[in-house]
Amino acid sequence: MTETAPREPASSDQAATEQAPREPASRDGAATIEIPAPQGSGAVEEAVAIWRALASLGVRDAVIAPGSRSAPFVYALQDERVAASMRAHVRIDERAAAFTALGISRADPAHPGVVVTTSGTATAHLHAAVLEAHHAGIPLLVLTADRPIELRDTGANQATRQAGLYGDAVRYAVDLPAPSSGRASAVELRTAVTTIARAMAAATGEDPGPVHINVCLRDPLVPRPEHMPRPKHTLRPEPAAGDEAADASPIVLTRRVPAAAPAPVAVPVSGRTVLVAGDGAGPVARELAERHGLPLLAEPSSGARGGAMVTGYPALLRAAMAAADHPLRPDRAIVLGHPTLSRPVVTGLLGADDVDVIVVDPTPRYADAARRARLVLPAIAPTATPETDAAQRAFLAAWREADAAAGPQTRGDPAWQARAALAVWDAQTDDDVLVLGSSSVVRDLEQHAGPARGTVLANRGLAGIDGLVSTAGGVALARAHRPGRVRALIGDLTALHDLTGLLIGPEEARPDLDVVVLDDDGGRIFSGLEHAGAPAAVLRRFFTTPHGADIAAAAAALGAHAETVAPADLPARLGSDPGAGIRVLVVHAQASAPADAQQIDSKPTPDAREDLLS
């Protein structure tokens, strides 16, 4: 019996083990945080305690935007214990900083990224990344520095109501009071450390997502001259006599033991069951489909593309759902992950009256856009009689036969953009990571790409085009010194929207990253939606939005190695030595093709147009 859940799947033996009662963590093994030595600033001392707690709980990378109110966190980074275990990355733009931290979390959710900003409008620039993390279920720690409460609602500079700024998009939000000005008390430091522990538990728990710690800080924001740190030296001057905090015991660092894996629920296979693997479904979806003979309808960023996968499923499913007696028409759909890409899946299949929809998700934020799910299970164990098992495997064979017979003609001749996307897809090795843009690129791959190699990621929580360059940069930073290359495959508007993701100072660690930009001078996806029927001038100006920008020149001006590449030359460039740092490959159609022809070539066929979800 296969026991399956979309998050952190376990084998049967592992699941059985995790179901058994576990001993509580030993008191002797509890970690503690030493009380920071006096700095002449309670704000700096509290920041030291916060960094030490985060490092002990597994945070390895912090992304910081410059500012004055957040300065205590900068000085605290010089603490010897913090500097030994935490990598700091500085970004000028707060939005880029937030998406860089999100990329760090996407690369390794067990070691989530943290973003730190000053007070005021800086905090608003984090909201897009917070929303993406919320809807995608990705841990993200947001630390916003704030004025002390006595300066709120007084007209003080850069003071606004930051507490609760992100509403219900965070798993946990707290307004941490400012510590005493000259010396943080033991109670204040303990409150900060235990608050961080609670936030980390919420961010990485059974319902992972972003958390917001609003940290009020009172002047002075810098250590006193006699305590000013030097890089990589500990902040450990001699405590003053009678110092209450120095005399206090170390602070116990709370660690929450993860919940046991959920017990699987037995569900019979009908003989005409398909498995839908949306974004983040994971390899467990592929294993489930292979074991039980389920046609696998897997999105590019599902982590399940291969095995029983049906490459041309959007077109085949559209035809199957158009006729009640079609031989490929399913009567049951098992859903893992977050499907968002095509109408034949999201509305045609999952919205059909005669299809039994079963969603597998251990969190309360399960995907059911059509509102027709009959069951939501934390984990699933499909069962079958010999008769239904034989019928199910015959159903899979019929899907595969139809897919092979239809071939590329069902999906249309790929435009140059799709051919370029496939070149990037095919260049992947098992060690590589591919970060996909949110518009036409990922849909090109859904229609045409075969099994995936390596890891494929995408910001499909809200599927925005913002922050993709920064996200990919964060992924690459988190994977530094690991084998393989990180690549981002995005459109031109996505690239322009996050140019500041390329802006990395000369003293910062630069990610090793390829950014492949498909530049067709505008938003191609709108030609595949209902808006294709708009007057040509309206479609062009308000939807396609041609920009006329030289993206390669802009990228080079921001410090990246950039070059323009023809689609036919892209495979060779991808196979060449990329060197260190960021390389931007801007792909254009051949210069001999007129611009109008390029735009027409990028439009999908009428049938393919019906497959797209906005």
Side-chain angles (χ1 to χ4, degrees):
M1 183 174 69
T2 302
E3 300 181 354
T4 303
R7 296 183 190 272
E8 299 186 12
S11 68
S12 299
D13 291 342
Q14 290 171 326
T17 301
E18 292 182 0
Q19 294 295 328
R22 289 177 291 175
E23 293 294 327
S26 168
R27 181 183 179 90
D28 295 337
T32 60
I33 301 298
E34 293 292 332
I35 297 288
Q39 300 302 312
S41 163
V44 174
E45 293 159 9
E46 180 169 281
V48 171
I50 287 174
W51 282 136
R52 288 182 181 178
L54 286 171
S56 296
L57 291 169
V59 172
R60 296 172 177 170
D61 293 90
V63 189
I64 301 176
S68 178
R69 186 58 49 173
S70 54
F73 288 102
V74 173
Y75 292 110
L77 281 170
Q78 312 310 316
D79 176 70
E80 187 175 68
R81 301 179 190 183
V82 175
S85 55
M86 186 87 70
R87 295 181 294 246
H89 311 279
V90 180
R91 294 296 182 270
I92 294 172
D93 175 28
E94 288 88 1
R95 187 180 69 174
F99 276 102
T100 299
L102 178 65
I104 290 166
S105 296
R106 277 201 173 277
D108 189 355
H111 301 282
V114 56
V115 59
V116 179
T117 73
T118 190
S119 62
T121 58
T123 60
H125 293 295
L126 311 182
H127 209 151
V130 169
L131 288 173
E132 174 61 29
H134 165 55
H135 287 277
I138 302 297
L140 179 66
L141 292 101
V142 175
L143 270 64
T144 55
D146 199 357
R147 263 58 178 171
I149 193 170
E150 62 265 22
L151 293 182
R152 293 180 185 173
D153 301 321
T154 64
N157 187 42
Q158 292 187 348
T160 187
R161 289 188 173 270
Q162 295 176 193
L165 178 64
Y166 308 115
D168 60 2
V170 292
R171 303 296 184 267
Y172 175 69
V174 64
D175 193 18
L176 196 59
S180 303
S181 58
R183 177 71 165 126
S185 70
V187 170
E188 291 167 339
L189 294 172
R190 188 181 306 113
T191 300
V193 168
T194 56
T195 297
I196 290 297
R198 188 177 293 273
M200 186 70 169
T204 59
E206 291 73 50
D207 183 20
V211 295
H212 178 206
I213 306 100
N214 190 59
V215 185
C216 297
L217 299 170
R218 185 176 285 111
D219 290 348
L221 303 176
V222 300
R224 294 289 172 83
E226 63 270 22
H227 304 309
M228 285 292 285
R230 290 176 291 177
K232 298 183 180 179
H233 282 252
T234 182
L235 304 182
R236 294 171 79 72
E238 289 298 321
D243 185 342
E244 177 264 341
D247 295 336
S249 301
I251 303 168
V252 174
L253 182 61
T254 306
R255 298 176 186 270
R256 185 174 184 270
V257 176
V265 178
V267 172
V269 170
S270 68
R272 301 177 67 84
T273 301
V274 296
L275 193 149
V276 175
D279 177 69
V284 67
R286 175 176 173 173
E287 296 165 6
L288 181 65
E290 290 175 345
R291 182 181 293 267
H292 295 281
L294 310 178
L296 177 60
L297 318 182
E299 294 186 353
S301 61
S302 63
R305 206 167 170 95
M309 179 192 76
V310 178
T311 301
Y313 71 84
L316 293 174
L317 189 61
R318 184 181 64 249
M321 300 309 296
D325 59 349
H326 196 286
L328 299 182
R329 187 181 180 96
D331 62 8
R332 175 166 293 162
I334 298 172
V335 181
L336 281 77
H338 182 201
T340 60
L341 288 179
S342 60
R343 286 176 178 162
V345 172
V346 177
T347 60
L349 172 67
L350 303 181
D353 292 340
D354 60 341
V355 175
D356 182 31
V357 178
I358 298 172
V359 177
V360 183
D361 193 329
T363 79
R365 303 174 199 279
Y366 55 88
D368 181 26
R371 296 184 180 273
R372 291 195 176 276
R374 179 176 65 87
L375 291 175
V376 179
L377 313 176
I380 190 169
T383 62
T385 65
E387 294 76 15
T388 56
D389 182 69
Q392 187 63 55
R393 297 187 185 280
F395 190 56
L396 172 60
W399 268 87
R400 283 178 160 168
E401 182 179 348
D403 192 30
Q409 65 265 28
T410 320
R411 304 186 287 277
D413 184 30
W416 72 262
Q417 298 96 328
R419 294 194 300 271
L422 288 170
V424 178
W425 185 268
D426 293 339
Q428 288 287 103
T429 70
D430 291 342
D431 293 325
D432 292 341
V433 177
L434 179 59
V435 181
L436 296 177
S438 295
S439 295
S440 296
V441 165
V442 69
R443 290 168 171 83
D444 288 337
L445 294 173
E446 183 194 34
Q447 296 277 344
H448 300 286
R453 288 184 294 177
T455 301
V456 182
L457 304 173
N459 281 347
R460 298 301 304 172
L462 280 186
I465 68 169
D466 39 1
L468 263 297
V469 174
S470 300
T471 299
V475 172
L477 288 171
R479 289 179 52 84
H481 310 301
R482 298 186 199 177
R485 185 72 174 176
V486 177
R487 298 185 182 94
L489 176 61
I490 59 179
D492 48 344
L493 296 186
T494 300
L496 291 169
H497 205 276
D498 193 26
L499 279 176
T500 55
L502 299 172
L503 184 57
I504 300 173
E507 298 184 16
E508 297 305 305
R510 298 184 70 81
D512 292 331
L513 171 68
D514 279 348
V515 181
V516 182
V517 182
L518 306 185
D519 185 3
D520 48 18
D521 197 29
R524 176 168 54 107
I525 189 173
F526 294 106
S527 296
L529 301 174
E530 296 87 341
H531 316 295
V538 172
L539 175 65
R540 180 173 173 81
R541 181 184 179 194
F542 292 98
F543 294 98
T544 309
T545 56
H547 50 79
D550 186 340
I551 296 176
L558 292 171
H561 172 74
E563 57 185 287
T564 301
V565 182
D569 297 331
L570 181 60
R573 296 303 300 133
L574 292 169
S576 65
D577 181 8
I582 300 176
R583 178 177 67 166
V584 178
L585 302 177
V586 182
V587 186
H588 285 289
Q590 293 180 359
S592 60
D596 289 345
Q598 294 174 27
Q599 193 66 28
I600 292 171
D601 183 48
S602 70
K603 293 180 181 179
T605 63
D607 284 344
R609 183 178 298 149
E610 295 174 5
D611 293 346
L612 299 181
L613 277 176
S614 59

